[in-house]
């Protein structure tokens, strides 16, 4: 009897242990189960758009931008924008490297090089493309950059390029200063390389990948994130509640989507090109290589008999080309007066009593860094933000000036950004009261170069809507758009941040913001026309000219 009782006790003990194990297991499962699980077919409906949802991808890339719903007007605008940036294609069929454009064998000629030129005249240049066998090209689609310059005068301006689509290109320059003016033309990418860039943009939006860290207590996981995530693994849906901007991360194995703490650039995909395609991207062969003249490469420009200064006193016109030029290392806009803020007191007097918001990437962060360094009373307040990431804030208590910088929302290739600091510009604008003492500057372009243009159009559409609403409630708010700029290119950078990508995005941005009350600082022409080497982050002399143009909108000269 005692033996039967002992066996019963052992049995009960084992059952109790088993019950505890089952209970702990179920508790763990419940702790890490997301209540917001939705299917991939209905995530876009209003009730399902959440900051921390879990969904399953389809076998194809799960791309939120492809599932957006556009109004008829938005659809028509998007089709118009895409048509405007459509690029000429080479003949169908595979083209060998030897048939691609060779800048060393190509040349240009100045039309009427011995003619009489005076300031204000047009100069025409004809560029003739040849392949590596020395044969004339019969089709267009090459991406060129061109400028005129006078090194001794530190003067420069960009040209307007027309593709004749038969291997010939015409470049038109407006002669804006007297003296010996030289012409420079460069091949940025041959037409054959452009087709590769097009393919990558449409088929490999994942070639820059991102990551997020998830943490609970001492346990953490890191997963990949992007606008598009291939495969059929569960994902966290971080689509923004208000703008509908799509963003996804693969779901951690054990943690919930709500446990995300940070965002960061993951890296760059390798092996994107075939061996033959890689021949179109060679630094010393066909990336940003000069095309030389077969004759004279400069003209003598005479001054005008008189200068009509009133011609500058007119409304801002974004279609003027070029928008300005350098003379003695100072940018002279053709669309608005630029005042020189050479002394820190000049900047202080201009910004006194104002709040300045800078939104965007590292190229507008340069404005924050320049102003904070140049104006002694403008002191940076330590917010404990990661270096080069932000947000940043500088304060001048004596003159009541507040200067703020915040990076735009994903995609952004910064080092670690706290999840709580991932803000979309449109949402930030919605939280600004505005008024005559509010100044806003925005730039957004570089981090969108690896994605289909529809992703960029969507982002700009949201920002534009918020700008229009802000100006409607506070029409005296000043808003300035900093355009894209050119940069140094090599074989790898070209696949992710080519000037051609930036040029296309910049063209879209200018069209989308035309007709509304915003001003432009033409960083594109200001970087292309200057004599310094191209750089993603332009040198201080170029940034100073950008700041002068920006502040001239804040404090316009009374003429």
């Amino acid at each position: 009897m005692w033996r039967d009782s002992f066996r019963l006790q052992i049995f009960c003990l084992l059952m109790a242990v088993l019950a505890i194990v089952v209970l702990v297991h179920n508790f763990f499962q419940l702790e890490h189960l997301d209540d917001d699980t939705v299917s991939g077919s209905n995530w876009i409906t209003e009730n399902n758009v959440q900051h921390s949802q879990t969904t399953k991808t389809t076998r194809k890339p799960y791309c939120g931008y492809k599932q957006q719903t556009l109004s008829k007007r938005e659809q028509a605008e998007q089709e118009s924008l895409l048509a405007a940036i459509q690029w000429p294609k080479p003949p169908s069929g595979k083209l060998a490297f030897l048939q691609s454009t060779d800048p060393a064998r190509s040349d240009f000629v100045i039309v009427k090089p011995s003619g009489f030129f005076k300031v204000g005249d047009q100069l025409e240049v004809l560029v003739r493309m040849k392949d590596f066998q020395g044969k004339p090209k019969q089709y267009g689609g090459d991406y060129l950059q061109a400028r005129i310059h006078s090194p001794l005068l530190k003067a420069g301006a960009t040209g307007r390029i027309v593709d004749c689509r038969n291997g010939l290109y015409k470049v038109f320059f407006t002669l804006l200063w007297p003296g010996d003016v030289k012409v420079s033309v460069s091949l940025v990418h041959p037409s054959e390389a452009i087709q590769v860039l097009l393919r990558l943009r449409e088929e490999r939006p994942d070639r820059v990948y991102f990551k997020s860290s998830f943490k609970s207590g001492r346990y953490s996981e890191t997963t990949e994130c992007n606008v598009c995530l291939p495969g059929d693994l569960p994902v966290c849906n971080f689509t923004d509640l208000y703008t509908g901007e799509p963003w996804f991360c693969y779901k951690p194995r054990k943690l919930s989507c709500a446990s995300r703490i940070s965002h960061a650039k993951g890296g760059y995909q390798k092996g994107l090109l075939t061996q033959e395609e890689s021949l179109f991207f060679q630094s010393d062969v066909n990336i940003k290589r000069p095309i030389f003249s077969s004759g004279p490469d400069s003209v003598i420009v005479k001054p005008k008999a008189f200068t009509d200064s009133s011609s500058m006193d007119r409304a801002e016109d974004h279609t003027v080309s070029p928008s300005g030029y350098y003379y003695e290392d100072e940018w002279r806009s053709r669309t608005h007066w630029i005042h020189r803020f050479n002394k820190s007191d000049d900047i202080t007097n201009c910004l006194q009593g104002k709040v300045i918001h800078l939104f965007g990437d590292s190229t507008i962060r340069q404005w924050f860094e320049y102003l904070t360094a140049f104006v002694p009373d403008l002191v940076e307040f330590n917010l404990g933000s990661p270096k080069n990431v932000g947000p940043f804030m500088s304060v001048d208590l004596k003159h009541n000036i507040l200067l703020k910088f915040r990076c735009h929302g994903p995609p952004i290739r910064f080092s670690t950004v706290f999840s709580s600091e991932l803000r979309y510009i449109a949402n930030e604008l919605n939280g600004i009261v505005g008024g005559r003492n509010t100044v806003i500057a925005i730039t957004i372009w570089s981090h969108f170069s690896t994605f289909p243009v529809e992703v960029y159009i969507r982002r700009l559409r949201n920002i534009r809507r918020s700008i229009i609403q802000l100006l409607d409630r506070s029409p005296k708010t000043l808003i300035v758009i900093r355009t894209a700029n050119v940069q140094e290119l090599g074989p790898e950078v070209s696949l992710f941040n080519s000037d051609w990508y930036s040029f296309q995005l910049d063209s879209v941005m200018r069209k989308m913001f035309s007709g509304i009350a915003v001003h432009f600082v033409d960083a594109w022409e200001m970087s292309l026309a200057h004599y310094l080497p191209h750089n993603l982050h332009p040198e201080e002399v170029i940034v100073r000219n950008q700041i002068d143009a920006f502040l001239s909108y804040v404090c316009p000269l009374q003429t």
Side-chain angles (χ1 to χ4, degrees):
M1 189 174 181
W2 178 85
R3 185 176 301 172
D4 291 341
S5 174
F6 179 74
R7 287 178 179 174
L8 181 62
Q9 289 177 358
I10 293 297
F11 176 76
C12 292
L13 180 63
L14 290 174
M15 291 298 294
V17 170
L18 181 61
I20 292 172
V21 170
V22 171
L23 181 65
V24 170
H25 175 74
N26 289 341
F27 179 81
F28 184 82
Q29 291 291 95
L30 286 170
E31 182 182 8
H32 299 293
L33 181 65
D34 272 329
D35 294 328
D36 298 319
T37 302
V38 295
S39 69
S41 61
N42 67 352
W43 71 270
I44 200 166
T45 59
E46 184 176 356
N47 292 332
N48 286 331
V49 177
Q50 299 292 332
H51 277 286
S52 58
Q53 295 177 341
T54 304
T55 186
K56 277 209 170 189
T57 62
T58 60
R59 296 193 177 215
K60 295 180 180 178
Y62 193 71
C63 298
Y65 74 91
K66 291 184 177 180
Q67 302 185 33
Q68 61 179 316
T69 302
L70 301 179
S71 67
K72 289 184 178 180
R73 178 178 294 182
E74 290 170 342
Q75 184 65 41
E77 180 189 39
Q78 181 163 292
E79 290 173 359
S80 174
L81 290 168
L82 294 175
I85 62 171
Q86 191 170 17
W87 204 260
K89 293 183 178 180
S92 57
K94 200 171 185 180
L95 291 168
F97 170 70
L98 292 178
Q99 295 173 291
S100 67
T101 307
D102 180 6
R105 288 180 168 82
S106 304
D107 65 7
F108 73 82
V109 292
I110 295 176
V111 178
K112 300 178 182 178
S114 58
F116 177 80
F117 296 99
K118 62 181 185 301
V119 172
D121 286 347
Q122 291 285 307
L123 177 67
E124 182 179 344
V125 171
L126 182 67
V127 185
R128 303 175 294 199
M129 294 304 201
K130 295 181 180 179
D131 62 22
F132 282 87
Q133 296 171 318
K135 297 178 181 178
K137 294 290 291 286
Q138 301 298 318
Y139 53 88
D142 300 300
Y143 177 43
L144 307 177
Q145 291 174 348
R147 69 185 184 106
I148 50 174
H149 54 110
S150 298
L152 294 179
L153 297 174
K154 293 186 177 179
T158 63
R160 180 172 63 88
I161 299 169
V162 177
D163 186 349
C164 300
R165 304 199 177 194
N166 58 0
L168 301 178
Y169 298 80
K170 293 181 179 180
V171 188
F172 298 93
F173 298 98
T174 301
L175 300 170
L176 296 165
W177 64 87
D180 186 13
V181 177
K182 184 176 180 179
V183 175
S184 291
V185 180
S186 297
L187 173 72
V188 182
H189 295 300
S191 56
E192 296 79 10
I194 296 295
Q195 297 310 303
V196 178
L197 296 179
L198 271 167
R199 176 183 67 78
L200 291 176
R201 187 171 70 185
E202 298 304 318
E203 298 177 6
R204 295 300 306 270
D206 63 336
R207 62 191 185 281
V208 175
Y209 59 95
F210 304 86
K211 61 184 180 181
S212 273
S213 292
F214 298 78
K215 187 175 182 181
S216 179
R218 294 183 178 181
Y219 183 78
S220 64
E221 293 184 54
T222 299
T223 70
E224 186 178 337
C225 307
N226 219 319
V227 170
C228 294
L229 286 178
D232 56 1
L233 296 173
V235 301
C236 295
N237 183 359
F238 293 110
T239 297
D240 184 64
L241 279 168
Y242 303 102
T243 63
E245 292 286 354
W247 191 253
F248 308 98
C249 297
Y250 286 124
K251 188 183 183 301
R253 289 187 306 109
K254 297 181 179 180
L255 297 177
S256 70
C257 296
S259 63
R260 183 177 67 149
I261 61 169
S262 66
H263 162 94
K265 179 185 72 176
Y268 299 89
Q269 299 284 4
K270 305 293 184 181
L272 297 170
L273 305 181
T274 65
Q275 188 171 359
E276 187 169 358
E277 286 175 335
S278 65
L279 297 176
F280 300 136
F281 297 91
Q282 301 181 70
S283 291
D284 297 326
V285 178
N286 49 19
I287 298 178
K288 280 205 175 181
R289 297 302 299 164
I291 296 174
F292 296 106
S293 173
S294 59
D297 64 354
S298 62
V299 296
I300 302 298
V301 181
K302 301 295 183 180
K304 273 187 175 180
F306 66 94
T307 302
D308 182 8
S309 60
S310 65
S311 64
M312 277 291 299
D313 193 11
R314 52 193 170 93
E316 187 176 358
D317 184 356
H318 303 316
T319 65
V320 171
S321 179
S323 66
Y325 63 100
Y326 283 106
Y327 190 79
E328 295 179 342
D329 239 359
E330 292 183 344
W331 183 254
R332 301 186 176 188
S333 173
R334 300 177 69 210
T335 62
H336 71 287
W337 288 97
I338 291 186
H339 175 48
R340 302 301 161 192
F341 294 82
N342 294 324
K343 299 178 180 178
S344 61
D345 288 347
D346 297 335
I347 297 179
T348 299
N349 292 335
C350 175
L351 297 181
Q352 185 162 357
K354 298 191 183 303
V355 178
I356 305 95
H357 300 268
L358 306 178
F359 295 114
D361 55 33
S362 57
T363 61
I364 207 165
R365 188 186 69 220
Q366 287 187 283
W367 289 15
F368 176 90
E369 293 165 346
Y370 177 91
L371 289 169
T372 301
F374 190 74
V375 180
D377 292 333
L378 201 55
V379 179
E380 184 173 356
F381 186 86
N382 186 4
L383 298 174
S385 302
K387 184 180 180 182
N388 297 332
V389 173
F392 301 124
M393 181 172 71
S394 290
V395 181
D396 180 348
L397 294 176
K398 182 179 178 182
H399 301 97
N400 195 27
I401 301 171
L402 177 61
L403 175 66
K404 304 168 75 176
F405 163 81
R406 179 176 289 279
C407 67
H408 64 71
I412 188 157
R413 302 177 212 141
F414 279 8
S415 57
T416 303
V417 184
F418 298 126
S419 298
S420 59
E421 299 294 353
L422 284 175
R423 314 277 183 86
Y424 290 94
I425 294 175
N427 292 340
E428 292 297 297
L429 293 174
N430 291 338
I432 294 175
V433 175
R436 67 170 67 250
N437 290 321
T438 300
V439 180
I440 297 169
I442 300 169
T443 194
I444 183 165
W445 54 281
S446 179
H447 299 258
F448 287 79
S449 58
T450 55
F451 297 95
V453 180
E454 292 90 338
V455 176
Y456 187 62
I457 292 174
R458 177 173 196 154
R459 184 62 57 91
L460 293 189
R461 190 187 299 121
N462 281 319
I463 293 173
R464 183 179 62 185
R465 184 185 300 115
S466 294
I467 286 176
I468 292 172
Q469 292 171 351
L470 174 56
L471 291 175
D472 187 49
R473 65 180 182 266
S474 301
K476 293 187 182 296
T477 306
L478 180 74
I479 300 177
V480 177
I481 307 292
R482 181 204 184 277
T483 73
N485 58 261
V486 298
Q487 67 177 93
E488 181 183 8
L489 295 180
E492 186 173 15
V493 175
S494 295
L495 306 183
F496 305 99
N497 253 44
S498 167
D499 281 357
W500 181 78
Y501 286 139
S502 302
F503 175 69
Q504 291 239 299
L505 297 182
D506 196 60
S507 300
V508 167
M509 184 275 294
R510 292 175 192 253
K511 289 181 182 295
M512 290 189 69
F513 284 101
S514 64
I516 63 175
V518 299
H519 305 281
F520 288 91
V521 171
D522 200 336
W524 185 270
E525 289 195 14
M526 295 172 83
S527 58
L528 182 56
H530 204 270
Y531 56 83
L532 284 174
H534 297 171
N535 194 326
L536 175 61
H537 301 104
E539 297 295 332
E540 184 174 309
V541 62
I542 299 177
V543 175
R544 173 175 57 80
N545 278 287
Q546 294 174 3
I547 292 292
D548 285 348
F550 167 59
L551 294 178
S552 295
Y553 289 124
V554 181
C555 305
L557 279 172
Q558 301 300 317
T559 59

